[in-house]
Amino acid sequence: MRTKVLVVGGGGREHAIVEALVRDGAEVYAAMRNRNPGIARAVKGFRLLNETDVPEVAEFASSTGAEIAVIGPEAPLEAGLVDELLRRGIGCVGPSQAAARLETSKRFARRLLKKHDIPGNVAFGTFQDYEAAKLFVDGFPGELVVKPEGLTGGKGVKVEGEHLRGKEEVLAYVREVLDNRIGGGGVVLEERLVGEEFTLQAFCDGRSVRGMPLVQDHKRAYEGDVGPNTGGMGSYTDADHLLPFVTAEDRERAMDIMRRTVQAMRAEGTPYRGVLYGQFMLTGAGPKVIEFNARFGDPEAMNVLTLLPNGLLDACLGVADGHLKGDVPFLRKATVCKYVVPAGYGTAPRAGMPVKVDEGALARTGARLYYAAVEERDGTIYTTTSRALGVVGMADSIEEAEAICEAGLANVAGDVLVRHDIGRAELVRKRVEHMRQVRG
Ligand code: AMP
Ligand code: GLY
């Protein structure tokens, strides 16, 4: 009997999840808002729906006979989808609404780290009213980061010295977040960290934690790390599962933070089952937590899942039943992922533009194609306002993986934007050099 799995979500991340589960022989169903053409082709069945409509997703899940569900995006977690699926006897890769607070409430996450004395935390304050926040800002010796407390799709955080000049602009943004209830109301102010960012994703079964290869994402829209912040323009991994500027010791410290966080969640009575995504800043004093996400990263999932010719289904079953077994067999290869996004992405994305994808020629380059938010009409792919598709190259080195990714991208044409610098030797060298300076 093939295991039946429901995947919720219709982006590049979910296309990669679906492909990996299909490779493992699972019978996969999809619940998604937009018809992702890659997912639609790969699954046994799908339903187009609002992913936060808990009763409808749950009813669809039951109708497919799914034994487990993998929740891609954060919004359904916040809406309580996992709690409802568990009530129906469907195991989940994704935390309960209470455990998802690690992502959905930045205040909860910071306070948990503090209460349990977990390393990697930063100086911070959480506020509901402007006057209290102003006292904190006036008394704070260094640069600050302003974060809406709740979800903003990765676009609500502003950093002093980057997006905000001086304490006056910090306070103006604090007021804007509070007055307009950006992210649901409430603001977190925290110490600005300096260093290089990396992502550590892990499978968690409530007790134990299995780390995945480290990934570096690129949030800025344009080449050279300039322009507005986005959901992520592309990402890479290295063959040793570290990054060129991260040592095995740095990774172990980040793993320790993740393990202690999962322990703390259990101690709080809200065990964490799902993929835990740790966003870290590697500073001169080691890795510090920027934030947690309660799911795979997008694009990071496309990197790590391309490295799993098999084994995702077993890991998911282990997460869902609380008993992860053995190691997850990630290939020891490097990957480079670049997102193709509509022109104007980050400010005024151009929806409804045709994108020509020669799938056959792309596949012959050895690159992988993962569709994201596109529309397909009469055999033509059109952009929406979100990221359109991801292309991943995999090889023994970042350099070779980047070349394969580019060879794949040569078969995609349209009014689109790609950060070609991601994974290139020049940018990787810049990161290594920056980290050398930061370490002093
Ligand atoms: P987040 O939505 O929390 O991932 O934040 C978005 C981006 O803001 C991160 O990827 C970082 O580049 C930056 N950021 C967040 N928190 C900090 C911090 N404490 N220090 C420096 N940069 C930060
Ligand atoms: N790549 C960032 C995220 O998935 O949140």
Side-chain angles (χ1 to χ4, degrees):
M1 262 289 281
R2 293 162 69 197
T3 309
K4 293 183 180 178
V5 185
L6 176 75
V7 175
V8 179
R13 163 182 54 206
E14 289 79 16
H15 188 187
I17 293 170
V18 165
E19 294 281 354
L21 291 170
V22 168
R23 285 198 290 276
D24 282 335
E27 185 172 306
V28 184
Y29 295 85
M32 54 192 168
R33 189 182 320 249
N34 282 76
R35 185 181 168 285
N36 177 313
I39 294 177
R41 249 181 279 157
V43 296
K44 184 85 187 290
F46 64 88
R47 189 185 285 181
L48 302 182
L49 41 63
N50 181 344
E51 293 154 16
T52 55
D53 183 339
V54 171
E56 184 167 13
V57 180
E59 185 272 310
F60 177 60
S62 295
S63 77
T64 65
E67 289 143 66
I68 61 168
V70 182
I71 322 302
E74 61 274 20
L77 300 171
E78 186 178 45
L81 176 62
V82 167
D83 307 71
E84 176 57 26
L85 292 175
L86 292 175
R87 264 195 291 278
R88 290 170 179 251
I90 299 171
C92 287
V93 180
S96 65
Q97 191 176 43
R101 281 180 299 168
L102 266 183
E103 169 167 6
T104 61
S105 170
K106 291 180 192 290
R107 171 163 172 254
F108 174 85
R110 285 287 176 222
R111 289 193 168 176
L112 184 89
L113 292 176
K114 187 168 175 186
K115 176 175 171 193
H116 292 265
D117 231 348
I118 297 171
N121 208 3
V122 299
F124 73 99
T126 68
F127 305 95
Q128 304 296 321
D129 79 86
Y130 179 80
E131 289 311 320
K134 186 171 185 308
L135 276 179
F136 181 86
V137 172
D138 290 343
F140 197 82
E143 287 181 314
L144 283 165
V145 178
V146 184
K147 301 187 170 185
E149 193 188 308
L151 298 180
T152 58
K155 288 147 197 156
V157 173
K158 294 201 179 180
V159 179
E160 185 180 352
E162 279 188 41
H163 318 91
L164 304 170
R165 301 221 172 280
K167 292 291 183 282
E168 248 163 64
E169 286 190 20
V170 166
L171 284 169
Y173 187 53
V174 167
R175 197 183 276 288
E176 191 185 329
V177 170
L178 291 173
D179 286 357
N180 302 333
R181 302 189 55 78
I182 297 174
V187 70
V188 177
L189 296 174
E190 60 185 47
E191 164 194 356
R192 181 188 180 189
L193 299 166
V194 176
E196 277 294 324
E197 287 180 57
F198 68 88
T199 302
L200 172 55
Q201 302 166 97
F203 294 103
C204 307
D205 64 5
R207 291 164 184 275
S208 60
V209 175
R210 299 278 189 284
M212 306 186 209
L214 299 183
V215 194
Q216 187 173 45
D217 185 18
H218 296 69
K219 292 228 178 237
R220 298 304 196 97
Y222 313 136
E223 292 186 0
D225 291 322
V226 295
N229 271 333
T230 70
M233 294 294 292
S235 43
Y236 63 96
T237 63
D238 206 349
D240 58 4
H241 297 175
L242 302 172
L243 291 164
F245 53 88
V246 182
T247 66
E249 192 200 328
D250 298 326
R251 181 181 190 275
E252 184 44 39
R253 288 173 74 176
M255 276 299 293
D256 178 57
I257 292 168
M258 303 273 279
R259 282 190 210 102
R260 292 199 203 197
T261 301
V262 168
Q263 263 173 31
M265 291 299 283
R266 200 177 55 195
E268 294 286 328
T270 50
Y272 191 93
R273 287 192 186 153
V275 171
L276 182 60
Y277 169 121
Q279 178 77 30
F280 291 92
M281 184 77 83
L282 186 53
T283 70
K288 304 264 185 187
V289 176
I290 290 180
E291 67 164 356
F292 290 114
N293 291 324
R295 50 172 175 80
F296 277 109
D298 189 353
E300 291 95 328
M302 292 187 276
N303 297 90
V304 297
L305 296 176
T306 299
L307 291 169
L308 272 187
N310 57 74
L312 179 62
L313 180 60
D314 278 347
C316 289
L317 290 168
V319 167
D321 77 2
H323 294 93
L324 271 169
K325 292 185 230 48
D327 278 337
V328 187
F330 292 99
L331 296 178
R332 307 216 42 105
K333 287 189 180 288
T335 62
V336 173
C337 173
K338 302 191 196 193
Y339 247 129
V340 173
V341 305
Y345 183 69
T347 51
R350 299 188 59 186
M353 306 301 288
V355 183
K356 258 192 79 200
V357 185
D358 186 338
E359 289 187 8
L362 194 150
R364 283 191 292 278
T365 66
R368 311 295 168 85
L369 168 65
Y370 299 110
Y371 282 106
V374 291
E375 274 170 18
E376 191 180 20
R377 268 175 278 132
D378 307 321
T380 303
I381 302 286
Y382 296 91
T383 58
T384 66
T385 57
S386 300
R387 298 174 291 187
L389 58 93
V391 175
V392 179
M394 176 171 69
D396 290 330
S397 68
I398 296 172
E399 206 176 336
E400 292 163 277
E402 197 275 334
I404 293 171
C405 174
E406 283 293 333
L409 281 168
N411 300 288
V412 179
D415 194 7
V416 293
L417 195 77
V418 177
R419 269 195 64 176
H420 291 287
D421 62 343
I422 292 168
R424 290 243 162 108
E426 193 191 338
L427 191 57
V428 174
R429 246 194 323 267
K430 208 174 100 182
R431 307 257 187 258
V432 171
E433 186 45 44
H434 181 221
M435 203 56 232
R436 210 193 321 270
Q437 281 170 16
V438 167
R439 288 190 207 264

